[in-house]
Amino acid sequence: MRNYKLLIHFFLIGILLTACSSDDDNASTVEFVVAFEQPSIQLSNDLQSREVQLMFSRPAPQNGTLNIQINSDSSVYDEDFSTFPEAVENQLELSFEAGETNTNFTFEQLTQVLEGEEKSIEFEITEVSIPNTVFSGNTFLTVNLSESAALGGSFEAEVGGPNQPNQVFINLSGQQQTVVSRDAWDLAFYSGNKNRVILNYSTQMAVGKTEFTNLAEVNQATVETLIPQIAIGNFNPENMVFVDEPSGDLNQTAMDEVSSNPEENHVYILNLGNEIGTDTPQPGSVAVSGVARGYLKIRVLLEGDQYLLQYADLNATEFNEVSIPKSSGFNHTFFNLNQQSIVQVEPEKHQWDLNFTVFTNEIPNAGSYMFTDFILTNRHGGTKAYQVNTDELSYSEFTYENVDPAKFSNDQRTIGSNWRQGGGPGQAPSLFEDRFFILQDTQENVYKLRFSALLSETGERGFPAFEYQLLN
Amino acid sequence: MKVTYSFVLLLIIGVQLYAQQEDFDWIQDSVWNEQMEDVIVTGQINPQSVKESIYEVKVINRSTIENLAANNLADVLNQSLNINIVPNAQTGKSSVEMFGLDGQYFKILIDNIPMVNDEGMGNMADLTQINIDDIERIEIVEGAMGVEYGANAVSGVINIITKKSSENNWEITPYIQEETIGKEYNVTDQGRHIQSIRIGKNINKNWYANAIFTRNNFNGFLNQQQGKNHPFNDGLRGHEWLPKLQNNLKALLNYRGKFNFFYKFEYFDEEVNRYSRQVRSNYNPATQTSNPTASDDNFFSERYIHHINLNGKVFKQSKFDVSISYQQQKRDVEQFNYRILAGERFNIQRTEFESRRVFFSRGTLNNFVPWEKVKLQTGYELNLINGFASPMSNPLGGDQINRRLDAYDFFTTAEIRATSRLSFRPGARLMLTNQFDPLIAASFTTKYLFPNGWEIRGILGTAPRVPNYDELYTFFVDSNHDVRGNENLSPETGTSTFLHLKRKFWLNNDETKWQVKFSSWYIRVKDRIELTVINDMPLQYQFNNIDLFRTWGIENSHSFQHKNFNLNLGISVQGVSQQLDSRDFDDDFLYRLQANTNINYRIPKWDTTFSLFYNYNGPQFQFVQRQNEDGETELVRGKLESFAWFDASIRKQFINKRLDLTLGARNLMNIKQVNTTATEGGAHNDAARSLLLGYGRSFFLRIQYNLNF
């Protein structure tokens, strides 16, 4: 009998242990915060209405309202500006419904600002009807009616997901984002005082110099040994001669400087790289390169102050010829070989600071290698940057006094891939949270800049985001 | 005292009576001897004693398993010489290396037939998935066993023999085992918790049935990690060792009569949770809030095994033995995103990760020629394997693989007793597959018993290794890489030679027994498959049959028994040479010393057994490619530091042996990470500086109740 009792005890213990091991889920969640999307808005004095976005930190738990106080020393409601919905005694009330993640109101500038006049209006979130709302982040918004540099803000660069189909040019001071398909161009002809041609660094292009100066002499047979070498990513340190110097130094492009003496302008074999990928990769991975696009033979000459581009299929005896002028105000003139036309790619040279792109970089001792989620600074426009590690100073503590002008580098890869961890087979890349960057733009505004995302919330590549703040 | 002896004796004889069935021709040496002289079946034409066996078979018996409180195969094998358990923190699996060759080169069998897992049949098994609660003993045969067990049995086989009889009408045996994982333990979400019950019943003289259910909840090892709810991207989320929960149900129906018959069923499931170390903070600069998410995986494995065996006598002296088995194992992956603060799962996607479905049959006919001095065995083996691998299962990528590998093997072997002292055993196997050219495995074994008691065995064997899916079907091609599998690969060829010399001595009026053994071996794997550069411009990699692996070693072991005291000691030195034609190489032999000991002392008066297990692994060397300061690649001798496994336990029985308590400690040397310079980095990652081998000193308590009536 005693034995049976023991047995029963035994089972009770077992059941007890089994019962206890269910998951204890934690119930804590993100606090509810309402904030302006950007801390400042610059209106370009064009009397257009503009939507002002407010963001919630999480979907609203219930229907509610929020109050915004409007303050301005320089402007008057209904004279210089107005809002919709309308404010009552400089109090703007907005309502929202449960489940919404943002709301907005419309701002309208009513009068032109005179030259030299500075007019700005300040909005402040003062009340939110949701219990336990925390006031944090952009609780203030400054709307500048006259043109001035943005105080800061945030961007989600539209790189376009794991195929990374876009080049995204960002203008920090003007809060503008320009999105261009990265296969929109093939060659870029420098518009400054050098005669240089660069390759599209985002489509895995490479170019090799032949001994010939006559396109007709070049065909598959005459360049047979050269062709297989003109490639990136083959872990051969020697292959850097086939791509432009990744720092952006125009004195070290893959193609020689275009000479006014036609005899010095050799024929080059151009590996057109790959189309934009279309596969859907595993979450966290990229699929940027698609079908290989083959080879062309090209030759660039000068024709007065214009470039003259000659190009043809490898074995063709005839060739196309096109004049390409320099574009004043722009870094380069961009040419699309497929469409056989000049295309607009970069914004004007002083209108962008960052370029999110796929990029052909160099791995020391392993040669050229394709990098995704790469960020170039506008070297030819004059943008410079350097990296600060948070163990020196945190992002929030860093002020203009801490800027060290000697550290600024004009290497266009200063941000490059340094903001993220590499990843590789079996290991997803991730964001470095121990560093931020200081950037001086083309108008000498100095910003601090910190990346907040590499992946989407669900872990897909190609959804980078960052925030920035004006220091001077 | 006397009661205990007869109890042990009864147990052993009971077991042996069954296991032997026939040919009960071993000589009783002494009371002590029976414990050593297990009857073995691995590689045998007829079951026989270790001494009779022409192969050298190592046996791990039930009491060793219980003294180690071992629940699965990984718990027990790390005390064996020449075997290393290699846990994988990424997948939660534990694989095994034997003579420096990985799990692709040896087979795990259960009751003499290979066991399926999600990567192979017999090969590549995850040792933590093999429950050993119902087993009688483990037999290990070292060396190529291609004739007996077919392809991939290159470095050896591990044969797990289950218990198929009982001397009681009813046997009801529940147990619980509570175990710390390092210093981590609580009743809810830390430590290891095992609950198990086994019920056995002798239905009548002919029929026996049993069933066993075991639940093994291994909550993972955190170490410095912070678990699944850690919200920061500082690398501290998740676990050092992945948590897993296993359920295992096994049933057996056994008939003994004119013919013998058994049916075995096994169901196994496992959930492994992999919480990503990488956290996406999803910082919202506008509100200055974060809603961190992570991409996590749960792996679900499920295994079914049906095994029918029929054996008996035909035509007077001939014996037949036929096993038919259907087995399948599937591993699914559930990928999901996890909002850490809210504890909310979303974007849940479940897909098949990899699987194997196998129809297996093996049949033998023995002694069909009525010669006294020659015993012939001829047989067939049929393996119809349907394999599936998702692209996710290959770290380099590739397409989804659905592949059928059918193998039809025929083998014949003879045991020739030239004299009462000298025997030979030649054998050969022909393997026909739908994938490769016909393969041949051969073996030749010799045994000689010297008049002074020394026994010598020489064993020559061969076995091929069939290429795996990654080697055949990898396809990882983008603008930076070109790595391809090779469907034209041929199987690797393994050859082994073993020489064993041993003798037993009886001292102190037969109160003390001492067995001494010297072994030496040489294993060679030719046409080894390796990733090679096949083209420099552009750089292309492909798997090819080009390398050569060689290992040789010597081992000396001793086994003492004096009254209730047992001591085993072993020491081995093994050299490995790898010739890598794929790149700069150095084929020097690199040596490693291993030693193990276990001490066992029983105090019958107290029903108490004390056990110590110690396994020392000397520094291990390997040539690795490194970049020197000038950026040039050079070959250097990397080193994995030495480490030792040290386990101890006290086992005591109460209430007429009905209650069985085992209290013990694993890994008393507190091994976790072992420093290494013997790994290579890749283009994307630096070489690992340490190898995760254990989770530190941990303690266990096992309470078992034996209800027999």
Side-chain angles (χ1 to χ4, degrees), chain A residues 4 6 54 56 98 105 133 142 227 277 296 300 307 355 362 390:
Chain A
Y4 289 96
L6 220 112
L54 290 112
F56 303 162
F105 65 90
T133 296
T142 306
I227 286 178
L296 285 182
V300 185
Y307 295 96
N355 174 9
E362 178 180 13
T390 50

Side-chain angles (χ1 to χ4, degrees), chain B residues 88-140:
Chain B
N88 184 331
Q90 273 293 304
T91 61
K93 294 183 175 188
S94 281
S95 60
V96 94
E97 269 183 13
M98 201 162 166
F99 295 108
L101 292 164
D102 68 20
Q104 299 182 79
Y105 293 86
F106 79 90
K107 272 188 162 163
I108 292 181
L109 315 164
I110 296 201
D111 287 326
N112 230 16
I113 69 165
M115 184 191 197
V116 75
N117 65 76
D118 44 35
E119 286 179 68
M121 178 70 176
N123 298 102
M124 296 305 289
D126 173 4
L127 300 183
T128 66
Q129 291 185 347
I130 302 175
N131 173 285
I132 54 174
D133 283 339
D134 63 333
I135 77 154
E136 191 56 56
R137 64 185 186 278
I138 299 167
E139 300 178 0
I140 301 170

Side-chain angles (χ1 to χ4, degrees), chain A residues 75-292:
Chain A
S75 309
V76 181
Y77 196 93
D78 276 342
E79 280 180 25
D80 296 306
F81 69 99
S82 70
T83 61
F84 181 81
E86 273 183 38
V88 180
E89 292 181 356
N90 284 335
Q91 290 282 332
L92 181 62
E93 187 180 284
L94 302 176
S95 60
F96 53 86
E97 282 174 21
E100 286 182 337
T101 55
N102 58 61
T103 184
N104 64 65
F105 65 90
T106 307
F107 179 91
E108 199 167 356
Q109 184 174 356
L110 299 175
T111 52
Q112 291 270 10
V113 181
L114 301 173
E115 185 80 25
E117 200 178 13
E118 282 191 13
K119 280 193 173 180
S120 67
I121 304 111
E122 196 176 80
F123 293 79
E124 182 189 0
I125 302 168
T126 52
E127 219 181 301
V128 180
S129 70
I130 304 293
N132 301 324
T133 296
V134 174
F135 287 83
S136 158
N138 300 331
T139 50
F140 287 91
L141 167 73
T142 306
V143 177
N144 290 308
L145 299 184
S146 47
E147 224 171 309
S148 64
L151 299 177
S154 58
F155 272 106
E156 290 172 12
E158 289 172 34
V159 168
N163 299 134
Q164 309 215 338
N166 301 326
Q167 275 172 348
V168 180
F169 298 93
I170 303 256
N171 179 356
L172 295 174
S173 61
Q175 281 181 326
Q176 273 158 351
Q177 170 163 207
T178 309
V179 181
V180 181
S181 179
R182 65 180 162 85
D183 64 357
W185 61 282
D186 299 301
L187 298 171
F189 298 80
Y190 187 57
S191 296
N193 53 11
K194 291 181 185 123
N195 300 316
R196 290 280 180 170
V197 184
I198 63 169
L199 312 178
N200 187 336
Y201 39 79
S202 74
T203 49
Q204 300 94 52
M205 282 184 157
V207 73
K209 184 179 177 178
T210 71
E211 64 206 85
F212 305 101
T213 51
N214 179 359
L215 274 173
E217 288 176 48
V218 176
N219 57 47
Q220 198 94 38
T222 55
V223 291
E224 203 174 4
T225 54
L226 179 65
I227 286 178
Q229 298 178 51
I230 308 170
I232 70 155
N234 53 20
F235 296 91
N236 178 4
E238 312 295 313
N239 69 14
M240 288 309 295
V241 300
F242 304 115
V243 295
D244 299 321
E245 159 58 34
S247 70
D249 181 357
L250 285 175
N251 293 325
Q252 298 182 64
T253 55
M255 293 171 71
D256 293 342
E257 171 143 38
V258 187
S259 169
S260 50
N261 176 2
E263 293 307 305
E264 291 177 7
N265 294 321
H266 283 245
V267 176
Y268 287 81
I269 304 299
L270 180 64
N271 178 344
L272 292 164
N274 297 78
E275 288 177 8
I276 294 169
T278 51
D279 293 345
T280 305
Q282 280 292 304
S285 300
V286 290
V288 296
S289 40
V291 183

Side-chain angles (χ1 to χ4, degrees), chain A residues 3 10 28 136 138 236 428 457, chain B residues 278 286-287 341 537 658 705:
Chain A
N3 293 332
F10 209 84
S28 74
S136 158
N138 300 331
N236 178 4
E457 194 203 21
Chain B
Q278 280 158 3
T287 58
L341 295 180
M537 283 293 162
R658 287 206 178 111
Y705 192 79

Side-chain angles (χ1 to χ4, degrees), chain B residues 499-622:
Chain B
L499 202 64
H500 303 279
L501 184 66
K502 71 177 177 186
R503 182 176 172 184
K504 279 183 203 129
F505 298 93
W506 283 269
L507 313 162
N508 297 333
N509 299 324
D510 289 357
E511 281 198 9
T512 305
K513 192 184 86 175
W514 170 38
Q515 179 179 285
V516 58
K517 186 172 107 180
F518 299 93
S519 302
S520 181
W521 64 86
Y522 176 72
I523 302 174
R524 180 169 180 264
V525 183
K526 204 176 69 162
D527 297 330
R528 233 187 157 201
I529 296 166
E530 200 73 43
L531 194 59
T532 59
V533 176
I534 53 160
N535 195 1
D536 278 322
M537 283 293 162
L539 188 68
Q540 287 177 329
Y541 289 93
Q542 195 185 48
F543 286 96
N544 277 297
N545 292 90
I546 65 161
D547 290 339
L548 178 66
F549 173 98
R550 288 173 299 164
T551 176
W552 81 277
I554 47 170
E555 182 181 324
N556 176 220
S557 59
H558 301 266
S559 165
F560 294 96
Q561 276 181 287
H562 179 72
K563 293 189 173 163
N564 297 313
F565 178 78
N566 249 303
L567 168 69
N568 293 301
L569 263 173
I571 184 162
S572 78
V573 176
Q574 189 193 191
V576 173
S577 151
Q578 299 211 54
Q579 184 174 316
L580 304 173
D581 284 348
S582 48
R583 55 194 199 183
D584 295 339
F585 73 94
D586 190 328
D587 67 349
D588 284 357
F589 276 91
L590 297 175
Y591 291 91
R592 182 187 203 192
L593 179 90
Q594 278 186 298
N596 70 354
T597 179
N598 86 63
I599 299 169
N600 200 298
Y601 185 62
R602 200 162 53 86
I603 305 174
K605 204 163 62 180
W606 298 350
D607 283 327
T608 303
T609 308
F610 299 89
S611 311
L612 288 178
F613 299 85
Y614 185 84
N615 183 9
Y616 170 80
N617 296 275
Q620 190 177 3
F621 300 93
Q622 193 183 337

